[in-house]
Structures are given as structure tokens and as C-alpha cells.
Amino acid sequence: MSQLRKSLWRGALAAAAVAGFVTSAAAQMELKIMAPAAPGGGWDQTARSMQQAFTQAGIAKSVQVTNVPGAGGSIGIAQLVNNSKGDGNQLMVMGYVMVGALLTNKSPITLDQTTPIARLTTEYEAIVVPADSPIKNAKDLAAAIKADPSKVTWAGGSAGGVDHIAAALFAKAAGADPTKINYIPFSGGGEALAAILGGKVTAGISGYGEFESQVKAGKLRLIGLTSATKTANVDVPSIKEQGIDLEIANWRAVVAPPGISADQKKALTEAVDKLAKSKEWQEILKSKGWENAYMSGDAFAKALAEEQTRTKEILTSVGLVKS
């Protein structure tokens, strides 16, 4: 073997060894993911789906999921900021719900105190009613709200979150006073679902994935999604196509605690990048009906800051936050 070939061979072996070390180092990560809500909702589903994909794809050695419910994630984010500072193995699922909830709850802890990692998914809101409800479509619901918004009760996620915002915007589009809606917040998707199925409320609002099985089983009637047009996996016209000018999407993301090093942030971002590209995660997106909206790094940090400003403007316009 010539000297040149020997040199190239040694270089190839060294590169392979480094690649193997990087892969094994990533696979040795012992991650913790907080879902700042009760079991059954979108954040919990996202955290457990990440746990499944991380381990099945061999990206992490182990992934522990914990639930810290309450106040639209305000309790969870306080725990992340105060108790997990500098922990490079900790992630927390969050999203549009938390942006609004922190504003309406006047939380002393803000998202600016976390380390943004990546946006994962978007999902349109679904409005449902019990199968035996006299409300058959979006126009029926709009008419009921316009007649008396206080008599139409909504079940959804935390106050000030995307469910609450969507309900207020629906009332506004229907010509009713959005500040007078009768919205009942629940900290977990399971509790809200029980209230809707039990006929305790007029309508429910959340991500379609949380209602899909009950809609397909004929226990809930889907009024429509808050998309611009009918989506491929749902055979019902969108709310907008039914004449109610409402279009809004929820999104979910992950952040890390404050005080982590640049290397820790890089390792977490690279692990989540691998997750997003894995076939295991792509299969989960398809099965859950979640849209891939992946964005990481500085682009996500900028988008998160812009979303906080935009959400404050919306919440103020519908009377959920005082200017």
C-alpha cells in the first residue's frame, strides 16, 4: 500500500471513529421532557410522542416524561426556570397556549427566561359538539352565540390559550361580543373531553387529534376546523368555508432551561434536529394529523418573540388582556 493510500485510509478510519463517537454520545443522552399540563392533552401527547421517537430512533439512551399541570403551563415554566437552571438534559414542551396563558395570568415568569430550542408542529383547532346536539354546523353555532354569547358554553384548554383565543375570535366573527363568551378552561384534554361527551357544555374546542377517535366513533360531531380550506384528513368544510371568518393554527415547540452552556444548547438542538428528520417522528406526525412546522436555532427564537407580540395584540382586541 502506497504512503498516500495509507494516509487516506488512516484519515477515513479517524473520521469513522469521530462519527461513531458523535453518534454514540448522542445515543447516551438521558433526556427529561416536561409536559406542563395534565395527561391526555396536546402537550402530553407531544412529550410522549417525542419520548417514543427519541428512543426508537436511538437518538437518546432514555427519555423521562413528567407532567406539571396548572394555569396554562405557568406552573411548569416556573419550575423549569427556578429549579432546572443549567440542566442540559431538560426540555419542556410549550406552544401557542403558553404564550397566551402567561399574558392572561400576568405571570412573573416569561418565555424570555427560557432557552428556545425548536418549533415542532402546527395543528388547526377543531370545534365539536355532542352527537345529539341541535347544532349541526358553524352557522348554527354562530347564530346561538349571536343570540346570547353567555348561554353558549365552551370547553377548552387553559384561559388565554389558543382554544380560548379561537372561541373569542369565533364569537367576534359571528357578530357577538367576544368579551362575553362563557369559556370553561380545563388543564387536561381528558377532563375537557369528558365534559363535552357528558353534555355539560355546548361545544368543545382543541386540536383535532384530541377529538378524532370520538368523532370517528360517532360520539362527537365535528363542526369544522379553523383552517382556510378543508384539509385532506377531515371530510368537513372549514369554519371559514362555512362563512365564519376565522383562521388560526396552534403550534407546539420545545424550550430548555435558562443558564445552559452553548455546547449544551447545541447538543439539545442537534438531538431535536435528528428527531424531526427521523422516520419514527414522521410516522407519528402522520398518525396524529400534525403538520410538520420544524424550525430551530435563531430563526425559532425570533419567531417566538414575534408571536408573543402578535398574541398580546389579539388578546387585547378580544378583551382577554387589558392594554
Side-chain angles (χ1 to χ4, degrees):
M1 187 181 287
S2 71
Q3 195 62 38
L4 177 60
R5 287 181 67 188
K6 281 180 182 177
S7 176
L8 290 171
W9 180 248
R10 279 197 296 271
L13 284 175
V18 169
F21 174 76
V22 170
T23 303
S24 63
Q28 294 307 308
M29 289 184 82
E30 296 182 353
L31 293 173
K32 296 169 287 184
I33 304 176
M34 182 204 298
W43 287 344
D44 179 66
Q45 287 184 34
T46 302
R48 294 184 192 280
S49 296
M50 290 179 73
Q51 178 186 44
Q52 178 186 330
F54 266 132
T55 51
Q56 286 183 352
I59 299 166
K61 181 181 177 182
S62 67
V63 182
Q64 178 188 354
V65 173
T66 56
N67 293 86
V68 183
S74 299
I75 295 172
I77 191 176
Q79 188 169 304
L80 181 84
V81 169
N82 294 326
N83 301 346
S84 300
K85 189 174 181 180
D87 187 344
N89 292 320
Q90 179 72 59
L91 289 168
M92 181 185 74
V93 176
M94 54 75 64
Y96 195 4
V97 171
M98 184 175 285
V99 175
L102 293 177
L103 288 164
T104 52
N105 293 332
K106 296 176 182 168
S107 171
I109 305 290
T110 71
L111 284 163
D112 295 335
Q113 291 170 267
T114 68
T115 304
I117 298 296
R119 187 181 68 194
L120 300 169
T121 62
T122 59
E123 183 181 26
Y124 292 110
E125 293 285 278
I127 299 175
V128 298
V129 295
D132 59 358
S133 170
I135 294 169
K136 307 294 184 190
N137 51 46
K139 286 191 174 179
D140 288 349
L141 184 59
I145 288 171
K146 192 172 182 181
D148 189 347
S150 67
K151 283 189 177 175
V152 175
T153 51
W154 298 81
S158 303
V162 64
D163 301 345
H164 197 173
I165 291 170
L169 290 176
F170 185 99
K172 190 177 182 181
D177 184 347
T179 66
K180 290 192 167 63
I181 65 166
N182 192 346
Y183 183 84
I184 304 165
F186 292 86
S187 63
E191 296 170 19
L193 185 60
I196 304 159
L197 290 169
K200 303 278 176 30
V201 293
T202 311
I205 187 162
S206 190
Y208 177 66
E210 294 184 39
F211 298 136
E212 184 178 24
S213 62
Q214 301 296 332
V215 169
K216 288 183 175 176
K219 293 181 180 179
L220 292 176
R221 178 184 299 123
L222 177 65
I223 297 300
L225 299 186
T226 60
S227 50
T229 57
K230 186 169 77 171
T231 60
N233 63 330
V234 177
D235 192 26
V236 175
S238 71
I239 301 293
K240 195 164 190 174
E241 286 174 328
Q242 294 178 61
I244 310 300
D245 190 16
L246 171 62
E247 187 181 341
I248 190 170
N250 189 10
W251 51 266
R252 298 192 183 106
V254 282
V255 297
I260 63 171
S261 68
D263 285 344
Q264 287 174 319
K265 181 181 176 181
K266 184 170 181 278
L268 281 173
T269 304
E270 286 176 352
V272 179
D273 281 343
K274 286 178 185 173
L275 171 89
K277 292 172 185 170
S278 71
K279 72 177 191 322
E280 290 82 1
W281 181 249
Q282 295 304 317
E283 285 166 5
I284 286 168
L285 293 182
K286 191 175 179 183
S287 70
K288 295 279 188 187
W290 295 342
E291 300 279 333
N292 185 11
Y294 195 74
M295 179 191 290
S296 62
D298 292 341
F300 171 57
K302 183 184 177 189
L304 182 57
E306 289 171 350
E307 193 72 301
Q308 290 179 79
T309 302
R310 189 177 76 91
T311 304
K312 187 173 183 180
E313 290 169 359
I314 293 173
L315 287 167
T316 304
S317 76
V318 295
L320 294 174
V321 165
K322 304 298 178 196
S323 56

